[in-house]
Amino acid sequence: MQEFCILNKPDARFYMSQELDRIDAALLNAVQRNNRLTSDELAELVNLSPTACHRRLKRLRAEGVIEADVSIVSPKAVGRQVTVIVLVSLERERADIIDRFKTAIRNTREVMIGYYVTGDADFILVVTAKDMEGYEEFTRRFFYENHDIKGFKTMVVMDRVKASFVLPIDV
Amino acid sequence: MQEFCILNKPDARFYMSQELDRIDAALLNAVQRNNRLTSDELAELVNLSPTACHRRLKRLRAEGVIEADVSIVSPKAVGRQVTVIVLVSLERERADIIDRFKTAIRNTREVMIGYYVTGDADFILVVTAKDMEGYEEFTRRFFYENHDIKGFKTMVVMDRVKASFVLPIDV
DNA sequence: TATGAAATTGCCACTTT
DNA sequence: AAAGTGGCAATTTCATA
């Protein structure tokens, strides 16, 4: 049923932006930081009735402006003490090799995010592990056994400065 | 200052993990992907009563295992077509310079995440911009006017392979 | 504003130490 | 026996037409 909406109306994600007004922006800025706020609390924040806030958020979710609603789990609390950023270079930039590598990323639990990028590297991965030994074990499994990979550079995260994926939203 | 918190109230994040049982793990794995599931739905998923699920999640939030509950906004939908990953090297690795740079990150809207890392670079930033021109304007403002910065390397994101911050949680 | 749905709490039972 | 956790039911709060 939600699929229907998405198929029927062209997906807002790709030509939006003028369709968002100041109040939408305020709502998004709020729920980006805390999506458990009630409609009443949001209403207070943006000077609108609770019902109107609710309707707007429903629309933003249906249109795909809000992609997901998630809980952020502390890596350390679940036993992943180590976060590492890895720059990966592939042997060659060929579509099938790239696709194969994307699939490997998707199928590997340790990789939280993978970016396919231009520039010095081909991919940038954010990887979590229990400890450095666990990371090493991961590299053996993920990198050394993969012939598509020319090389990789490891950078261990000592501190994360901004917590999450909060976008600046104006309009 | 963060140390203080840790000293004062024992922060669950640092000695947990055996305190999480299989059901906690299942709940976390669910809400990491969708935190709008009702207690009834969660109950069904993990084979427990809705009340118990609710109480467990409340505990996980209070203990900091769940750090936050947020909506993920589509960058494109809010007019940020370009995502860039930047490797930054500082002139010298001195505590005050590092702290100053962290503050700069916190105060700069375009920077979504900043990692302080070991290795070839000192910081890795995830930056969003309206377009490449907007990114260039950002580099002028953020990098060229900052004397602590030795250099930076830009890598434009062409594709994001995994969407979000979903951790593998076993127990 | 009215309705039903969901979150939240008190109370008691059961299990583990 | 005490502490911790689960389940039911009642109440309050919230979502939604």
Side-chain angles (χ1 to χ4, degrees):
Chain A
M1 191 201 135
Q2 195 162 15
E3 274 82 3
F4 262 80
C5 301
I6 291 164
L7 291 176
N8 290 343
K9 322 178 213 171
D11 188 331
R13 273 171 289 184
F14 299 100
Y15 62 98
M16 258 254 154
S17 172
Q18 25 110 281
E19 299 185 25
L20 296 177
D21 63 15
R22 208 165 289 103
I23 294 172
D24 289 327
L27 287 171
L28 290 172
N29 277 322
V31 297
Q32 251 190 328
R33 292 174 175 82
N34 180 5
N35 74 352
R36 306 185 83 226
L37 296 168
T38 64
S39 297
D40 283 8
E41 291 167 315
L42 289 167
E44 179 106 7
L45 278 176
V46 306
N47 285 318
L48 207 66
S49 79
T51 304
C53 289
H54 186 262
R55 258 202 305 266
R56 277 170 182 262
L57 282 172
K58 190 176 175 183
R59 200 200 74 219
L60 291 168
R61 290 197 168 97
E63 283 174 340
V65 176
I66 293 176
E67 291 181 348
D69 290 272
V70 304
S71 296
I72 305 293
V73 173
S74 158
K76 295 204 172 147
V78 295
R80 304 197 92 79
Q81 308 287 336
V82 174
T83 302
V84 173
I85 299 193
V86 194
L87 310 190
V88 183
S89 300
L90 299 185
E91 279 294 353
R92 33 181 73 222
E93 282 199 55
R94 235 175 48 199
D96 59 330
I97 293 181
I98 289 167
D99 284 345
R100 203 151 59 204
F101 191 65
K102 286 183 183 176
T103 303
I105 290 174
R106 284 198 200 89
N107 293 335
T108 307
R109 294 151 36 89
E110 289 90 341
V111 182
M112 289 179 64
I113 318 176
Y115 296 103
Y116 174 44
V117 298
T118 64
D120 282 7
D122 294 313
F123 282 88
I124 298 181
L125 311 181
V126 179
V127 176
T128 60
K130 208 160 78 67
D131 48 31
M132 281 313 290
E133 199 183 314
Y135 175 68
E136 246 197 85
E137 191 275 320
F138 161 81
T139 62
R140 279 197 296 276
R141 186 160 33 86
F142 192 74
F143 293 124
Y144 292 115
E145 287 177 8
N146 186 336
H147 285 210
D148 295 336
I149 289 172
K150 194 200 289 178
F152 67 96
K153 268 190 190 163
T154 293
M155 304 161 104
V156 179
V157 173
M158 291 184 287
D159 192 15
R160 213 182 341 152
V161 180
K162 266 186 181 171
S164 67
F165 272 122
V166 177
L167 290 162
I169 302 172
D170 311 294
V171 179
Chain B
M1 190 204 127
Q2 194 163 14
E3 275 80 4
F4 261 80
C5 302
I6 291 163
L7 292 176
N8 290 344
K9 355 170 191 170
D11 185 333
R13 276 170 287 181
F14 297 99
Y15 62 98
M16 261 254 154
S17 178
Q18 28 114 276
E19 299 185 24
L20 295 177
D21 63 14
R22 210 165 285 103
I23 295 173
D24 289 328
L27 287 171
L28 290 172
N29 277 322
V31 297
Q32 252 190 325
R33 292 173 175 81
N34 180 6
N35 74 353
R36 306 185 83 226
L37 295 169
T38 65
S39 296
D40 283 7
E41 290 167 315
L42 289 167
E44 179 107 7
L45 277 176
V46 305
N47 284 319
L48 208 67
S49 79
T51 307
C53 290
H54 183 262
R55 272 203 285 256
R56 276 170 180 263
L57 282 172
K58 189 176 175 183
R59 201 200 74 218
L60 292 168
R61 291 195 168 99
E63 283 174 340
V65 176
I66 293 176
E67 290 181 347
D69 290 271
V70 304
S71 296
I72 305 293
V73 172
S74 159
K76 295 205 172 144
V78 295
R80 304 199 91 79
Q81 308 287 336
V82 174
T83 302
V84 174
I85 299 194
V86 194
L87 309 190
V88 183
S89 301
L90 299 185
E91 279 293 353
R92 31 180 76 221
E93 282 200 54
R94 235 174 48 199
D96 59 329
I97 293 181
I98 289 166
D99 284 345
R100 202 152 58 206
F101 191 65
K102 286 183 183 175
T103 303
I105 290 173
R106 284 197 201 91
N107 293 335
T108 306
R109 294 150 37 90
E110 287 91 342
V111 182
M112 288 178 65
I113 318 176
Y115 296 102
Y116 173 43
V117 297
T118 65
D120 282 7
D122 295 312
F123 282 88
I124 298 180
L125 312 181
V126 179
V127 176
T128 59
K130 207 159 77 70
D131 48 31
M132 282 313 290
E133 198 184 314
Y135 174 67
E136 246 198 84
E137 191 275 321
F138 161 81
T139 61
R140 280 196 295 276
R141 187 158 34 86
F142 191 74
F143 293 123
Y144 292 116
E145 288 176 6
N146 186 337
H147 285 209
D148 295 336
I149 288 171
K150 195 201 286 178
F152 67 96
K153 269 190 189 162
T154 294
M155 304 163 102
V156 179
V157 174
M158 290 183 285
D159 192 14
R160 216 183 337 155
V161 180
K162 266 187 181 170
S164 69
F165 272 123
V166 176
L167 289 163
I169 300 172
D170 310 296
V171 178

Tab-separated table of all heavy atoms in Angstrom, chain B residues 38-39 51 54-55 58, chain C residues 6-11:
chain	number	residue	atom	x	y	z
B	38	THR	N	5.181	-0.500	16.893
B	38	THR	CA	4.477	-0.451	18.174
B	38	THR	C	4.957	-1.593	19.063
B	38	THR	O	5.554	-2.564	18.604
B	38	THR	CB	2.963	-0.599	17.971
B	38	THR	OG1	2.706	-1.911	17.442
B	38	THR	CG2	2.433	0.435	17.014
B	39	SER	N	4.649	-1.451	20.326
B	39	SER	CA	5.026	-2.519	21.263
B	39	SER	C	4.401	-3.844	20.854
B	39	SER	O	5.007	-4.898	21.023
B	39	SER	CB	4.587	-2.146	22.684
B	39	SER	OG	5.280	-1.004	23.108
B	51	THR	N	4.105	-5.200	26.927
B	51	THR	CA	4.577	-4.479	28.110
B	51	THR	C	6.057	-4.718	28.349
B	51	THR	O	6.816	-3.775	28.595
B	51	THR	CB	3.798	-4.920	29.356
B	51	THR	OG1	2.416	-4.797	29.085
B	51	THR	CG2	4.161	-4.079	30.548
B	54	HIS	N	8.186	-2.937	25.867
B	54	HIS	CA	8.227	-1.510	26.144
B	54	HIS	C	9.176	-1.189	27.289
B	54	HIS	O	9.969	-0.260	27.226
B	54	HIS	CB	6.818	-1.014	26.460
B	54	HIS	CG	6.756	0.443	26.695
B	54	HIS	ND1	6.756	0.985	27.952
B	54	HIS	CD2	6.761	1.478	25.834
B	54	HIS	CE1	6.733	2.299	27.848
B	54	HIS	NE2	6.735	2.635	26.595
B	55	ARG	N	9.082	-1.998	28.319
B	55	ARG	CA	9.959	-1.752	29.474
B	55	ARG	C	11.415	-1.953	29.130
B	55	ARG	O	12.292	-1.204	29.568
B	55	ARG	CB	9.555	-2.643	30.645
B	55	ARG	CG	8.497	-1.987	31.514
B	55	ARG	CD	8.501	-2.565	32.903
B	55	ARG	NE	7.889	-3.872	32.893
B	55	ARG	CZ	6.658	-4.109	33.347
B	55	ARG	NH1	5.931	-3.123	33.832
B	55	ARG	NH2	6.171	-5.315	33.318
B	58	LYS	N	12.591	1.031	27.175
B	58	LYS	CA	12.741	2.177	28.076
B	58	LYS	C	14.068	2.081	28.815
B	58	LYS	O	14.803	3.058	28.955
B	58	LYS	CB	11.576	2.197	29.055
B	58	LYS	CG	11.508	3.451	29.893
B	58	LYS	CD	10.265	3.444	30.763
B	58	LYS	CE	10.273	4.659	31.690
B	58	LYS	NZ	9.113	4.659	32.597
C	6	DA	P	-2.208	0.343	17.653
C	6	DA	OP1	-1.350	0.169	16.460
C	6	DA	OP2	-2.834	-0.833	18.317
C	6	DA	O5'	-1.388	1.137	18.739
C	6	DA	C5'	-0.952	2.472	18.446
C	6	DA	C4'	-0.308	3.075	19.682
C	6	DA	O4'	-1.350	3.410	20.634
C	6	DA	C3'	0.656	2.127	20.397
C	6	DA	O3'	1.907	2.763	20.508
C	6	DA	C2'	-0.001	1.851	21.746
C	6	DA	C1'	-0.919	3.056	21.929
C	6	DA	N9	-2.117	2.771	22.699
C	6	DA	C8	-3.026	1.779	22.478
C	6	DA	N7	-4.016	1.763	23.341
C	6	DA	C5	-3.725	2.817	24.191
C	6	DA	C6	-4.383	3.334	25.321
C	6	DA	N6	-5.518	2.824	25.800
C	6	DA	N1	-3.830	4.393	25.944
C	6	DA	C2	-2.684	4.909	25.453
C	6	DA	N3	-1.974	4.508	24.398
C	6	DA	C4	-2.559	3.452	23.804
C	7	DA	P	3.089	2.145	21.276
C	7	DA	OP1	4.316	2.493	20.542
C	7	DA	OP2	2.784	0.733	21.589
C	7	DA	O5'	3.068	2.998	22.627
C	7	DA	C5'	3.187	4.412	22.542
C	7	DA	C4'	3.056	5.043	23.922
C	7	DA	O4'	1.800	4.676	24.512
C	7	DA	C3'	4.131	4.624	24.925
C	7	DA	O3'	4.473	5.783	25.676
C	7	DA	C2'	3.422	3.576	25.779
C	7	DA	C1'	2.002	4.113	25.790
C	7	DA	N9	0.941	3.124	25.943
C	7	DA	C8	0.746	1.999	25.210
C	7	DA	N7	-0.328	1.316	25.557
C	7	DA	C5	-0.871	2.059	26.585
C	7	DA	C6	-2.009	1.880	27.386
C	7	DA	N6	-2.847	0.838	27.250
C	7	DA	N1	-2.274	2.806	28.339
C	7	DA	C2	-1.442	3.852	28.462
C	7	DA	N3	-0.333	4.121	27.763
C	7	DA	C4	-0.107	3.179	26.836
C	8	DT	P	5.668	5.801	26.732
C	8	DT	OP1	6.164	7.188	26.867
C	8	DT	OP2	6.583	4.716	26.341
C	8	DT	O5'	4.983	5.434	28.108
C	8	DT	C5'	4.009	6.331	28.638
C	8	DT	C4'	3.380	5.730	29.874
C	8	DT	O4'	2.472	4.673	29.517
C	8	DT	C3'	4.373	5.107	30.871
C	8	DT	O3'	4.246	5.851	32.068
C	8	DT	C2'	3.893	3.660	31.031
C	8	DT	C1'	2.436	3.772	30.588
C	8	DT	N1	1.781	2.537	30.064
C	8	DT	C2	0.561	2.186	30.599
C	8	DT	O2	0.014	2.818	31.487
C	8	DT	N3	-0.002	1.054	30.047
C	8	DT	C4	0.533	0.270	29.048
C	8	DT	O4	-0.072	-0.711	28.640
C	8	DT	C5	1.805	0.700	28.532
C	8	DT	C7	2.456	-0.083	27.440
C	8	DT	C6	2.374	1.808	29.059
C	9	DT	P	5.288	5.613	33.267
C	9	DT	OP1	5.633	6.953	33.797
C	9	DT	OP2	6.343	4.673	32.853
C	9	DT	O5'	4.365	4.889	34.341
C	9	DT	C5'	3.101	5.464	34.673
C	9	DT	C4'	2.307	4.485	35.528
C	9	DT	O4'	1.737	3.461	34.678
C	9	DT	C3'	3.121	3.755	36.597
C	9	DT	O3'	2.567	4.029	37.882
C	9	DT	C2'	3.023	2.282	36.236
C	9	DT	C1'	1.783	2.243	35.348
C	9	DT	N1	1.819	1.193	34.290
C	9	DT	C2	0.692	0.422	34.095
C	9	DT	O2	-0.326	0.554	34.752
C	9	DT	N3	0.805	-0.510	33.097
C	9	DT	C4	1.909	-0.742	32.301
C	9	DT	O4	1.893	-1.605	31.434
C	9	DT	C5	3.050	0.103	32.565
C	9	DT	C7	4.296	-0.068	31.750
C	9	DT	C6	2.948	1.019	33.531
C	10	DG	P	3.183	3.347	39.180
C	10	DG	OP1	3.229	4.404	40.208
C	10	DG	OP2	4.402	2.572	38.849
C	10	DG	O5'	2.028	2.321	39.546
C	10	DG	C5'	0.653	2.742	39.593
C	10	DG	C4'	-0.230	1.592	40.060
C	10	DG	O4'	-0.322	0.614	38.991
C	10	DG	C3'	0.289	0.835	41.275
C	10	DG	O3'	-0.831	0.390	42.053
C	10	DG	C2'	1.050	-0.334	40.668
C	10	DG	C1'	0.235	-0.621	39.412
C	10	DG	N9	1.007	-1.131	38.275
C	10	DG	C8	2.242	-0.714	37.870
C	10	DG	N7	2.676	-1.343	36.795
C	10	DG	C5	1.651	-2.232	36.491
C	10	DG	C6	1.555	-3.174	35.450
C	10	DG	O6	2.356	-3.430	34.555
C	10	DG	N1	0.350	-3.877	35.508
C	10	DG	C2	-0.623	-3.680	36.455
C	10	DG	N2	-1.707	-4.446	36.354
C	10	DG	N3	-0.547	-2.796	37.439
C	10	DG	C4	0.620	-2.116	37.392
C	11	DC	P	-0.644	-0.362	43.416
C	11	DC	OP1	-1.786	0.047	44.260
C	11	DC	OP2	0.749	-0.165	43.875
C	11	DC	O5'	-0.836	-1.896	43.041
C	11	DC	C5'	-2.040	-2.326	42.394
C	11	DC	C4'	-1.898	-3.777	41.991
C	11	DC	O4'	-1.065	-3.873	40.810
C	11	DC	C3'	-1.242	-4.675	43.051
C	11	DC	O3'	-2.098	-5.757	43.343
C	11	DC	C2'	0.066	-5.115	42.410
C	11	DC	C1'	-0.267	-5.022	40.924
C	11	DC	N1	0.910	-4.839	40.045
C	11	DC	C2	1.020	-5.622	38.885
C	11	DC	O2	0.128	-6.437	38.625
C	11	DC	N3	2.108	-5.457	38.087
C	11	DC	C4	3.052	-4.562	38.409
C	11	DC	N4	4.099	-4.429	37.580
C	11	DC	C5	2.951	-3.761	39.581
C	11	DC	C6	1.882	-3.932	40.358
